[in-house]
Amino acid sequence: MTWRPAFVAIGSNLSDPQGQVGAACDALAAMPDTRLVLRSRSWRSRPMGPQDQPSFVNAVAGLVTTLSPRELLGELQSIEKRMGRVEPAQRWGPRLIDLDLLLVGDLQSSEPDLMLPHPGLHQRNFVLYPLAEIAAELWVPGHGRVRSLQHRVSGEGIEPLAARGSGDD
């Protein structure tokens, strides 16, 4: 049994997005053969797709797991389904919950339904800013360190959110 690090991007822009992100983290922590070891704070970001939708709340979770990448992807999809996810009517449209498998160790995969590292990871500020918060020195195969990737993308349209219960939310 080999434990490997894995990172998951979490996003929501419907039905209390910050609560949805928190519930997704709880579900990640309850996955079999997996431990939630890191979680970024929540970040508000502009939608990547159509702009006539609410802002997103995003975070990144750091896990260690003995699951294979395919098993881990299956668990993420099961969580999405249990949380009520339905495919958006339009690409990059509003969504209740979105869990994207970003990395599993230094593994690379180019299968149509399992791309590792996640193909948009190195270009998306709503992934890189929370990921840099918990793993700035992480190496992304084929792209470089998270900290360097973060400095290559604009911080425009993304901001950290206050923690729930801090009086600032």
Side-chain angles (χ1 to χ4, degrees), residues 43 120-132 143 145-158:
W43 293 74
L121 184 161
H122 66 287
Q123 300 168 317
R124 298 178 179 165
N125 66 1
F126 60 88
V127 173
L128 289 168
Y129 276 68
L131 183 57
H143 298 289
R145 297 221 181 273
V146 168
R147 181 183 314 280
S148 296
L149 297 172
Q150 178 193 13
H151 291 307
R152 293 182 201 157
V153 299
S154 168
E156 186 176 332
I158 185 167

Side-chain angles (χ1 to χ4, degrees), residues 28-40:
L28 292 173
M31 284 192 319
D33 303 311
T34 302
R35 304 291 176 267
L36 174 66
V37 293
L38 298 166
R39 182 204 164 179
S40 73

Side-chain angles (χ1 to χ4, degrees), residues 13 69-70 74 77 105 111 119 160:
N13 73 338
R70 182 141 319 271
Q77 291 168 339
E111 297 173 38

Side-chain angles (χ1 to χ4, degrees), residues 93-121:
R95 56 195 70 221
L96 187 64
I97 193 67
D98 189 29
L99 300 175
D100 287 334
L101 184 56
L102 300 174
L103 293 159
V104 179
D106 60 358
L107 299 178
Q108 295 183 58
S109 172
S110 57
E111 297 173 38
D113 62 337
L114 181 61
M115 303 278 293
L116 291 173
H118 188 284
L121 184 161

